[in-house]
């Protein structure tokens, strides 16, 4: 099943979105560099989809950071359940 | 030395073609698989429904076929998962009692009602609902079954054409 969590309007920016914004990269550009669709990047940033280890590594590499920095918060918030 | 995969695995590989880029990325693949599971569930419900309605109308071959068809996806699902080391019955036992009872009752009821309706037809020679199919086409026509076959062919051809056009349009827009 596709991992999901309910959207919360006052939730802080997902670290992927925040990091991408810092680097001034569009969703489409990030999607192309990691080899997924723009909708998938949007789903990751929206917390609707928890990526596999391999995709998480590719995203972290594309954003020049670590998987822990981008996805460790999900463990605390229970995003992947 | 190379070992050849068993026939079932080769058949499943060729049918599923899991390495095909048409599945998209990992999220799209996951959604596609969820959609496939939903579609199979719906089609099994429709199949059971058609079987039940056909049985009440006094038909025998059609409901029997529908019941048999219902088993095919279940069997394929169970065998495929088992070969990949996943026990479907074990997973099903982890569902809530309420869900297990609901699903069991629904399936058992549909099967039981269909079988009862078929037994009624066999015993009394007519369906629970006695329907006489009108011969609307007249003499020289292919008859009801022929008309159904022609309708299915024309419908299938039109559906295939529509799918082809939709894919062309989508590819052009991409």
């Amino acid at each position: 099943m596709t991992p999901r969590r309910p959207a919360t309007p006052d939730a802080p920016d997902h670290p992927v979105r925040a990091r991408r914004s810092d680097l001034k990269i569009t969703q489409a550009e990030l999607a192309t560099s990691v080899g997924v669709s723009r909708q998938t990047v949007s789903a990751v940033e929206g917390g609707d989809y928890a990526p596999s280890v391999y995709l998480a590594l590719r995203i972290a590499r594309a954003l020049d950071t670590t998987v822990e920095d981008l996805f460790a918060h999900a463990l605390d918030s229970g995003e992947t359940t | 030395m190379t070992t050849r995969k068993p026939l079932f695995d080769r058949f499943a590989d060729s049918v599923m073609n899991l390495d095909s880029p048409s599945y998209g990325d990992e999220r799209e693949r996951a959604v596609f698989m969820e959609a496939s599971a939903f579609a199979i569930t719906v089609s099994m419900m429709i199949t059971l429904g058609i079987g039940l309605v056909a049985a009440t109308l006094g038909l025998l071959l059609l409901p029997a076929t529908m019941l048999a068809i219902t088993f095919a996806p279940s069997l394929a699902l169970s065998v495929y998962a088992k070969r990949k080391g996943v026990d479907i019955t074990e997973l099903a036992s982890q569902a809530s009692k309420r869900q297990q009872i609901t699903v069991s009752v629904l399936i058992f009821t549909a099967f039981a009602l269909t079988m009862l309706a078929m037994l009624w037809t066999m015993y009394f020679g007519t369906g629970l609902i006695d329907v006489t199919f009108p011969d609307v086409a007249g003499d020289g026509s292919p008859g009801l079954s022929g008309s159904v076959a022609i309708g299915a062919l024309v419908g299938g051809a039109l559906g295939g054409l529509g799918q082809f056009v939709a894919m062309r349009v989508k590819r052009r827009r991409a």
Side-chain angles (χ1 to χ4, degrees):
Chain A
M1 194 177 88
T2 315
R4 301 184 178 85
R5 75 172 163 84
T8 48
D10 55 346
D13 255 4
H14 193 285
V16 171
R17 175 173 288 153
R19 180 70 182 154
R20 184 177 58 75
S21 298
D22 288 346
L23 296 175
K24 295 185 170 49
I25 298 173
T26 65
Q27 284 186 342
E29 288 167 342
L30 177 60
T32 303
S33 67
V34 299
V36 298
S37 67
R38 191 195 60 75
Q39 287 85 353
T40 294
V41 171
S42 177
V44 169
E45 290 183 354
D48 294 323
Y49 178 66
S52 69
V53 172
Y54 303 104
L55 179 55
L57 284 166
R58 290 206 302 272
I59 291 173
R61 188 169 291 178
L63 296 176
D64 197 24
T65 183
T66 64
V67 171
E68 284 78 9
D69 284 343
L70 295 178
F71 298 103
H73 76 287
L75 294 174
D76 304 325
S77 64
E79 187 173 303
T80 56
T81 56
Chain B
M1 193 179 88
T2 56
T3 53
R4 200 169 186 208
K5 280 184 174 180
L7 181 64
F8 181 87
D9 292 348
R10 280 185 281 130
F11 174 68
D13 285 349
S14 66
V15 170
M16 299 289 288
N17 197 12
L18 289 172
D19 293 328
S20 167
S22 65
Y23 284 106
D25 62 39
E26 61 177 49
R27 184 190 66 90
E28 291 166 327
R29 177 183 294 250
V31 171
F32 181 83
M33 292 303 170
E34 285 179 24
S36 301
F38 174 68
I40 286 176
T41 306
V42 170
S43 64
M44 285 174 75
M45 289 163 74
I46 290 173
T47 306
L48 278 176
I50 290 174
L52 180 57
V53 171
T56 57
L57 294 177
L59 300 173
L60 292 173
L61 186 59
L62 182 60
T65 308
M66 291 292 117
L67 290 184
I69 286 174
T70 311
F71 278 114
S74 309
L75 187 65
L77 169 74
S78 183
V79 172
Y80 186 93
K82 193 97 176 172
R83 295 186 78 85
K84 301 279 182 182
V86 175
D87 190 346
I88 295 293
T89 50
E90 175 67 25
L91 290 179
S93 69
Q94 292 173 20
S96 67
K97 284 287 171 204
R98 183 179 174 159
Q99 192 178 6
Q100 287 182 42
I101 291 169
T102 305
V103 171
S104 302
V105 166
L106 279 175
I107 292 175
F108 176 78
T109 305
F111 265 84
L113 289 177
T114 306
M115 297 296 285
L116 282 173
M118 290 170 70
L119 283 173
W120 176 282
T121 303
M122 284 191 280
Y123 192 76
F124 293 104
T126 179
L128 282 167
I129 302 170
D130 194 13
V131 177
T132 308
F133 294 104
D135 186 11
V136 293
D139 292 338
S141 68
L144 183 63
S145 55
S147 301
V148 168
I150 291 169
L153 278 174
V154 172
L158 287 175
L161 184 66
Q163 180 75 11
F164 176 74
V165 170
M167 284 177 69
R168 286 291 297 261
V169 169
K170 191 160 188 176
R171 195 173 296 169
R172 200 168 292 172
R173 283 180 183 167

